[in-house]
Amino acid sequence: MSRTPSPEEGREIVKWLNRNRQLFKKYAHQYVAYNTNGIITHGENLREVIDKADASGEIYLIYLVPGFTGSIVIL
């Protein structure tokens, strides 16, 4: 199993996600393993995604890509 990212690594990985969110649109309703180097693997089966991500030997986070995105403006 991959090691848990340090708090600093985790913040950098999440920042990467926020900067590259458009890349995830095509993975709606899928789990995506990713890090600051990019997307490692993806799929609908969480166990398979974790196994493939672990096999990569890289540190990663998992993101469940929503089926839609939107925003709310509160006035």
Side-chain angles (χ1 to χ4, degrees):
M1 181 154 214
S2 178
R3 76 172 175 82
T4 302
S6 71
E8 295 86 19
E9 290 168 327
R11 280 191 291 277
E12 289 304 312
I13 294 171
V14 171
K15 285 180 188 177
W16 184 90
L17 169 68
N18 289 327
R19 287 191 306 269
N20 295 282
R21 201 167 287 278
Q22 73 282 355
L23 297 174
F24 289 78
K25 289 181 181 180
K26 63 183 174 183
Y27 303 112
H29 304 288
Q30 293 186 42
Y31 297 97
V32 177
Y34 71 100
N35 60 25
T36 56
N37 296 321
I39 294 172
I40 298 168
T41 189
H42 63 89
E44 294 180 5
N45 183 299
L46 178 57
R47 174 51 40 206
E48 290 176 8
V49 170
I50 290 171
D51 289 345
K52 289 177 184 177
D54 283 348
S56 76
E58 297 187 54
I59 297 169
Y60 64 90
L61 295 179
I62 299 284
Y63 178 56
L64 175 56
V65 181
F68 65 91
T69 58
S71 61
I72 298 174
V73 177
I74 299 173
L75 302 173

